[in-house]
Amino acid sequence: MKIALTEFVTLDGVSQGPGSAAEDPSDGFGSGGWLVPFLDKTFVERTSAWLDLADGLLLGRRTYEAFARDWPRITDPADPFTKRMNSLPKYVVTNTLTAGDWRPTTVLRGDATRTVRELKEAPGGELQIHGSARLGHALLSAGLVDTLRLAVAPVVLGTGRRLFTHPATATGFRLTRHEATQEGLLLLEYETTGEVRTADYAGVAELR
């Protein structure tokens, strides 16, 4: 299977608490809900299409517990995400949980990169990481992420947990799709390419 990392981020890379003030106030974060003012039909259609590619969800413990609390409570049959989120197999990477109530759930204990690498070798489509920025960062640094999907909001917060932090492994990407919504979100899809390419600047004339 391929590993796809989907994240909502600000222009300065913050991924914490996009959905509401109460979503993740850890470490005193007080700017939760920064994505919501920019949601529109295009965003819903595109992210719903991304979710339709999933054969399973790969989550860290914190995100799993938040999702397991909130998603089963959504009962609107018109919601394009609820049925998929609740029915997809969930794989939670944790050494503190022994079981999960948000069925179907499989707990992956031990070293995250080893257990995910083994899971990645199974046949199937995509295992999608939603939220779980720490897990996504670790797997990206380990070279296990194949696809990166970002919804970038036109805000700078200056505080909050960021998707990409140091130390990290330098990683190259190739842009495969891009789209701007009417409300100003950038929806970006990348494939990982491995090593970062570098070159010396030789002047604009050579680029003509």
Side-chain angles (χ1 to χ4, degrees):
M1 286 189 279
K2 290 186 175 182
I3 305 294
L5 172 59
T6 299
E7 292 287 346
F8 306 149
V9 297
T10 64
L11 288 176
D12 55 340
V14 174
S15 61
Q16 186 172 357
S20 74
E23 180 179 354
D24 184 3
S26 61
D27 301 321
F29 183 66
S31 299
W34 45 266
L35 181 73
V36 177
F38 305 102
L39 303 186
D40 61 12
K41 182 179 179 181
T42 301
F43 168 84
V44 172
E45 289 177 347
R46 180 60 52 218
T47 52
S48 177
W50 289 348
L51 184 60
D52 285 343
L53 300 173
D55 282 350
L57 303 176
L58 182 61
L59 305 169
R61 179 190 59 81
R62 289 162 57 107
T63 299
Y64 175 83
E65 290 180 332
F67 282 7
R69 177 193 66 216
D70 296 336
W71 279 106
R73 297 178 182 177
I74 301 174
T75 58
D76 181 1
D79 186 283
F81 306 101
T82 302
K83 183 177 180 180
R84 292 283 287 156
M85 290 294 289
N86 285 321
S87 63
L88 281 168
K90 294 89 174 168
Y91 300 90
V92 54
V93 180
T94 177
N95 286 316
T96 57
L97 297 179
T98 57
D101 296 329
W102 189 26
R103 299 179 180 177
T105 291
T106 300
V107 174
L108 302 178
R109 300 179 65 84
D111 178 72
T113 57
R114 179 183 60 80
T115 55
V116 172
R117 194 183 304 275
E118 293 173 355
L119 187 61
K120 184 178 166 68
E121 294 175 356
E126 286 188 357
L127 279 176
Q128 293 188 358
I129 305 169
H130 292 260
S132 304
R134 292 184 179 92
L135 174 63
H137 182 271
L139 298 183
L140 188 65
S141 295
L144 294 177
V145 173
D146 302 287
T147 301
L148 173 65
R149 299 187 178 107
L150 300 176
V152 184
V155 295
V156 171
L157 298 181
T159 185
R161 191 167 54 253
R162 287 168 169 77
L163 174 59
F164 300 122
T165 58
H166 299 287
T169 302
T171 305
F173 298 89
R174 181 176 69 86
L175 182 66
T176 58
R177 181 169 183 152
H178 60 92
E179 185 174 6
T181 73
Q182 187 173 356
E183 295 298 325
L185 291 173
L186 288 179
L187 306 179
L188 307 172
E189 294 188 57
Y190 296 91
E191 291 180 352
T192 53
T193 59
E195 295 183 2
V196 175
R197 296 185 301 167
T198 61
D200 292 328
Y201 177 69
V204 174
E206 294 193 10
L207 301 178
R208 292 177 179 174

